[in-house]
Structures are given as C-alpha cells and as structure tokens.
Amino acid sequence: MSTIIDKAREIVAANGMSDKITLLQGKMEEVVLPFPKVDIIISEWMGYFLLYESMLDTVLYARDKYLQKDGLIFPDKATIFTAGIEDGEYKEEKIGFWDNVWGFDYTPLKATAMTEPLVDTVDMKAVVTDPTGVLTLDLYTVTTKDLAFVVDFTLDCRRSDFIHAIIAWFDIEFTACHKPIKFSTGPHTKYTHWKQTVFYLKDVLTVEQGEQIKARLTNKPNSKNKRDLDITIEYKLLTDDPHRAAQGVGEYKMC
C-alpha cells in the first residue's frame, strides 16, 4: 500500500526478476489480482498484544477470496500468553507520578493512566508466575468474529512475591515449512519490536509460592475504530490467608 513499493520495483529490476514478480499497489480489499486464486499468502500482520492495529482482518479477507483449497499461509498459527510480574518501582514511576507533578495534584489522571496498557520490555527476573497460553489462532480456520473473545485462565505462582501487573505476549508459528519454524515475543527470549504488553492491576497482590490467580480476559475491537482494542481483565487470588485475599477488575483501552 505504501510508496516503498517504488523501491521494491527497483530491487526486482536490479535482480533481473521483472518478468517473474508483479507488484500491485493498493488495499487488499480494492486491488484486482491477475489470477483468480493463489497458492501462498505471506503477511506480517501482528500488532502489540497480537491484535492491536493488526491487519488480520485483511489476511482473512485474502484467504477467503483468493487462497486455493490446499493453499498455504505463512505464518499460520499465533498464541497469546500471559504471566504475572513484580513491577512496583516502574508502576510507581508511571502511575504514582500523577500524585505530585511539580507540586500539583494530578490524581484525576491516575485512573486514565491505569487504563492505558504499557508496551515495554519486561525483565525475565520480574516474572512471578508460570506463563499461561490463553488463546491460539489458526489462520486457516479463524474468522473475524473470533477476534472478540472471552477466555478464562489460571496463573500459577512460582515464588512468593508481589504482583503489580499481568503481561501478555505472543508466539508465532510457520507450521507448513519443511522444518517448522516459530518465534516468541516473550520476556524469556530475544528482543523484538513488539516487546510485551503490561496491564497494571489496581491492587498489589501478595502471593505465596504454589498459589493461583484465577483470571478472565475479555477482548473486543473498539466500536469506533476496529483496530483499537477494549480489554477487560478480572482477577482473583486464591489463598487461605484472609489478609491477602484480593480480587478486582481492570478495564483497558489500546488506542
């Protein structure tokens, strides 16, 4: 769609492939392909939290209109993972900042700041729970309706610590390759520009090793802009200690 296609044409010509590669500029939903069907669809459609500002709708449109019955999609599988993290210092820097802004009380902005997920790199040392896969998308079968979902999940605490936020990341798979290939955008692996998405909790959870957090994640495209996301996370700490019992709901907007 962008003007980088002009450079792509130069590169194709420089490599003597102008008679083999045809470049079309425009929106997938508007261009007319020179063939009724295609054998392969390749697309880098992933956004933050996998689905924010993603182009998956367009990939599904191309799949349904153009892909041969036995055609291939690269990549073809994506899984969203979550975990709980200790992040008190950074939370205080980002959220507590509004308590005193050069001597002025800006606390009315605190609630707004809490609704905005942070996209940043999380240190693996901050991860308190085991990772949990909450949703897997198969690009051969997924529909646009599946992109609005409600999933329940459990986080198992691997050590005694505080939990200030729940983070999310995704793994991508190319299962149709002769040697299956995958990569992760999680805190346990090499840096990617997707980083991780951090959802700060209103409460600070004090957890003990072996305890669990029961949670429910609700995701749906924003009604005004489908590339934005409305996300809700409900959580409850399962503990025998009444002094540490906690539950709550966080509502977030990625826009």
Side-chain angles (χ1 to χ4, degrees):
M1 179 63 183
S2 71
T3 55
I4 194 66
I5 195 170
D6 295 330
K7 286 299 175 184
R9 289 194 177 99
E10 293 180 26
I11 293 169
V12 169
N15 287 275
M17 291 190 171
S18 296
D19 61 333
K20 295 181 176 65
I21 297 176
T22 300
L23 298 171
L24 303 176
Q25 186 173 19
K27 293 182 179 180
M28 183 72 247
E29 294 84 352
E30 296 175 358
V31 298
V32 178
L33 299 187
F35 305 99
K37 294 292 181 180
V38 301
D39 299 304
I40 301 174
I41 292 174
I42 303 173
S43 178
E44 189 280 277
W45 52 268
M46 301 81 72
Y48 299 133
F49 187 63
L50 184 64
L51 298 173
Y52 173 58
E53 283 193 337
S54 80
M55 298 294 292
L56 185 52
D57 286 11
T58 297
V59 178
L60 301 185
Y61 172 89
R63 177 199 69 188
D64 294 342
K65 184 169 183 178
Y66 292 111
L67 190 63
Q68 296 272 19
K69 182 180 178 181
D70 297 321
L72 302 177
I73 302 176
F74 295 93
D76 60 335
K77 187 175 288 186
T79 302
I80 296 176
F81 290 86
T82 61
I85 65 166
E86 186 283 317
D87 198 27
E89 185 175 345
Y90 202 15
K91 181 182 179 183
E92 179 60 26
E93 181 181 322
K94 181 177 184 291
I95 308 298
F97 163 82
W98 299 108
D99 290 335
N100 186 327
V101 183
W102 299 104
F104 294 94
D105 183 350
Y106 269 62
T107 51
L109 282 176
K110 232 179 172 181
T112 301
M114 286 288 291
T115 67
E116 298 176 354
L118 178 70
V119 177
D120 204 350
T121 302
V122 175
D123 192 321
M124 187 61 194
K125 295 178 182 178
V127 179
V128 177
T129 73
D130 290 331
T132 299
V134 298
L135 180 75
T136 296
L137 300 180
D138 183 337
L139 266 67
Y140 291 106
T141 59
V142 68
T143 68
T144 54
K145 291 182 179 180
D146 296 329
L147 305 185
F149 55 85
V150 179
V151 291
D152 294 320
F153 62 97
T154 301
L155 297 174
D156 295 311
C157 300
R158 61 170 61 161
R159 69 170 185 260
S160 300
D161 208 331
F162 300 107
I163 291 181
H164 299 90
I166 291 176
I167 64 169
W169 68 91
F170 60 88
D171 288 7
I172 289 294
E173 297 181 55
F174 300 74
T175 67
C177 295
H178 65 282
K179 181 180 180 181
I181 295 172
K182 65 186 298 183
F183 70 86
S184 177
T185 63
H188 57 285
T189 189
K190 293 180 180 179
Y191 169 88
T192 72
H193 78 276
W194 289 285
K195 305 178 184 179
Q196 292 88 48
T197 305
V198 182
F199 301 92
Y200 284 112
L201 305 180
K202 182 179 180 181
D203 307 296
V204 178
L205 304 183
T206 305
V207 302
E208 297 289 341
Q209 182 179 6
E211 291 182 335
Q212 293 183 322
I213 299 169
K214 293 289 186 181
R216 170 171 289 179
L217 172 66
T218 303
N219 175 85
K220 62 180 179 180
N222 182 269
S223 57
K224 295 182 179 179
N225 184 347
K226 68 178 183 178
R227 301 210 182 280
D228 293 345
L229 298 177
D230 293 332
I231 300 167
T232 301
I233 298 178
E234 304 168 60
Y235 55 92
K236 181 179 182 179
L237 172 62
L238 302 184
T239 177
D240 295 328
D241 184 349
H243 299 291
R244 293 188 293 106
Q247 63 182 34
V249 179
E251 296 184 343
Y252 311 90
K253 294 185 180 297
M254 295 193 72
C255 56

